[in-house]
Amino acid sequence: MVKWQGRRESANVDDRRGAAAAGGAGIIFMVLRFVVGRFGIRGVMLLAVVGLGLYMVGVNPVSLLGGQPVSTQRAAPADDDTSRFVRVILAETEDVWSQLFGRNDYPEPTLVLFSGSVTSACGYASAASGPFYCPGDKQVYLDTSFFNELAQRFGAPGDFAAAYVIAHEVGHHVQTVTGISNQVRSAQQRARSEAEANALQVKMELQADCYAGVWAHYADRTSNILEEGDIEEGLRAAEAIGDDTLQRNAGRRVTPESFTHGTSQQRQEWFTTGYRYGDVSRCDTFG
């Protein structure tokens, strides 16, 4: 079990769980998507006119959709074990990457906790999308219910399995800071097929796995936060969310050209490479 209690907690966590805006924003997004798909831009214009008319006569159009008015008001951040754990792990990644980059050269990311759905610079997302990093606003987004899903649905329980997920998403932030993310996006736009674009995405995801291993290397050797069995928990998590395993468990045929994250074996191997050497230069999945 990760020895996280009593350690420094990051101040870069934005706890949006229970945000009032989530319900209304999500419903509006779904309505707009339906209208555009069914009626095109004329339908959107008609919807806007109707909404403006309702607003002018004192009726909140969002309330008619069953949601809450869009608001910047948020519930007070919870101070539970899960949020404390997230803040500690994020702080540990800050310490490691600030040391490797130099504190003035590593802009620390913000981690957004949400429940159900969230809107980021990358668009609207539901909890079903899983944890993700948005390069547009340089923020990690996490619905902590994913930790329960990781343990119960994917059979990968444990504190370090959860820590690995956070470290992987922070790895994508490292790619943004170093310019790798922009290079890959540009290459994907030039790709001649979806399979070619997916292959580039796989390389980027595997590199983030390797970066998570680099963090684990230093967390283990310098921070003394890990205990025996923690790395095995991370490897089980990497195995459980490999593309081939997910497709097989869903009863689907394994189709490598559709992979976006890599096989279970690849994810384990690249995490292990980062952990064994603690050397960012060893994480060249594109080479």
Side-chain angles (χ1 to χ4, degrees):
M1 179 176 289
V2 176
K3 296 178 288 187
W4 62 270
Q5 291 90 344
R7 293 178 179 267
R8 181 180 78 85
E9 299 179 8
S10 173
N12 296 315
V13 172
D14 180 5
D15 196 340
R16 299 184 192 174
R17 292 175 294 175
I27 293 172
I28 290 172
F29 176 84
M30 289 186 288
V31 169
L32 285 174
R33 186 169 62 178
F34 171 78
V35 170
V36 171
R38 185 71 178 272
F39 304 106
I41 191 63
R42 292 182 178 179
V44 175
M45 294 174 64
L46 177 61
L47 189 65
V49 171
V50 172
L52 179 61
L54 289 171
Y55 180 78
M56 292 180 66
V57 298
V59 177
N60 186 339
V62 176
S63 65
L64 298 180
L65 298 175
Q68 297 297 319
V70 176
S71 170
T72 56
Q73 300 271 329
R74 292 203 298 269
D79 191 27
D80 51 36
D81 280 347
T82 300
S83 64
R84 284 193 292 270
F85 171 80
V86 169
R87 293 196 294 264
V88 168
I89 298 302
L90 184 62
E92 292 290 325
T93 67
E94 292 167 353
D95 292 344
V96 168
W97 290 111
S98 294
Q99 176 186 348
L100 294 176
F101 274 85
R103 187 160 296 277
N104 294 328
D105 297 322
Y106 178 68
E108 297 172 349
T110 296
L111 189 152
V112 177
L113 292 176
F114 71 95
S115 56
S117 61
V118 71
T119 301
S120 72
C122 296
Y124 172 84
S126 69
S129 303
F132 67 96
Y133 172 77
C134 177
D137 54 24
K138 298 182 175 62
Q139 297 188 144
V140 174
Y141 290 84
L142 171 67
D143 185 323
T144 54
S145 65
F146 181 76
F147 295 155
N148 294 329
E149 187 176 16
L150 192 62
Q152 298 169 12
R153 177 183 170 190
F154 297 111
D159 284 349
F160 190 80
Y164 155 72
V165 170
I166 297 171
H168 172 92
E169 298 305 334
V170 171
H172 286 309
H173 177 68
V174 174
Q175 291 171 322
T176 297
V177 172
T178 57
I180 292 172
S181 179
N182 282 339
Q183 294 173 25
V184 172
R185 302 302 178 202
S186 296
Q188 287 178 316
Q189 291 174 1
R190 299 192 301 270
R192 292 166 294 183
S193 66
E194 183 178 357
E196 185 178 336
N198 286 344
L200 289 166
Q201 186 64 36
V202 166
K203 292 176 185 293
M204 191 150 79
E205 296 295 339
L206 293 177
Q207 187 176 62
D209 281 332
C210 188
Y211 287 167
V214 170
W215 166 74
H217 173 94
Y218 289 98
D220 189 13
R221 288 161 175 76
T222 64
S223 185
N224 194 32
I225 194 174
L226 304 186
E227 290 187 333
E228 185 176 353
D230 281 341
I231 296 302
E232 288 72 17
E233 290 180 359
L235 290 173
R236 280 197 298 272
E239 178 184 19
I241 55 180
D243 285 325
D244 55 337
T245 299
L246 291 175
Q247 290 183 353
R248 198 175 293 115
N249 289 344
R252 295 162 52 195
R253 181 172 61 90
V254 175
T255 54
E257 64 274 12
S258 70
F259 289 175
T260 57
H261 286 70
T263 67
S264 295
Q265 182 178 353
Q266 288 174 319
R267 301 198 69 167
Q268 288 181 315
E269 287 178 348
W270 280 107
F271 174 82
T272 300
T273 295
Y275 173 68
R276 179 177 299 158
Y277 298 104
D279 184 355
V280 173
S281 66
R282 296 267 188 169
C283 296
D284 183 13
T285 57
F286 300 90

